[in-house]
Amino acid sequence: MSASVAIQVLPAAENDQELCRMVDEVIAYIQSTGLRYEVGPFETTIEGDDYNQLMDIVKECQHVAVRAGAKKASAYIKVAYQPDGEILTIDQKIGKYQK
């Protein structure tokens, strides 16, 4: 892997149930990309070899939240990128902690 992103999307929602529904739609979109991803309690990490594809996914996550009914969507993003080499994968970072 040459890149990974961690994204937390926070849609403006009327209640927690609506918030979870909107976030579920964002996660379903991420799943549909076919890339390796890991859902955590605060953010979802996605990894791939195409930096531009990952940035397009990050952008689309906000559009998905708005289409799901959010009047606005904030996002917090972390990016690891090494164009000529490998970054640590999700499994390398947290595999030993998985049950």
Side-chain angles (χ1 to χ4, degrees), residues 1-97:
M1 293 297 117
S2 64
S4 68
V5 297
I7 182 167
Q8 178 186 38
V9 178
L10 296 172
E14 292 181 22
N15 55 53
D16 288 345
Q17 186 176 12
E18 274 299 291
L19 173 72
C20 289
R21 182 189 63 75
M22 292 176 198
V23 170
D24 285 346
E25 290 197 32
V26 172
I27 293 169
Y29 162 69
I30 292 169
Q31 183 179 28
S32 78
T33 68
L35 295 178
R36 169 84 167 91
Y37 71 97
E38 179 85 20
V39 177
F42 290 100
E43 64 191 12
T44 298
T45 303
I46 314 160
E47 59 187 16
D49 288 319
D50 186 337
Y51 176 82
N52 290 325
Q53 179 187 22
L54 289 171
M55 293 300 101
D56 288 343
I57 291 168
V58 165
K59 181 174 62 174
E60 184 62 18
C61 285
Q62 266 122 323
H63 295 301
V64 170
V66 169
R67 285 194 300 271
K71 294 198 182 328
K72 70 176 186 174
S74 298
Y76 299 92
I77 301 159
K78 300 173 196 170
V79 178
Y81 175 54
Q82 186 169 344
D84 296 320
E86 296 287 318
I87 61 164
L88 290 173
T89 66
I90 292 170
D91 291 332
Q92 290 169 319
K93 291 177 183 176
I94 63 169
K96 63 185 172 190
Y97 302 108

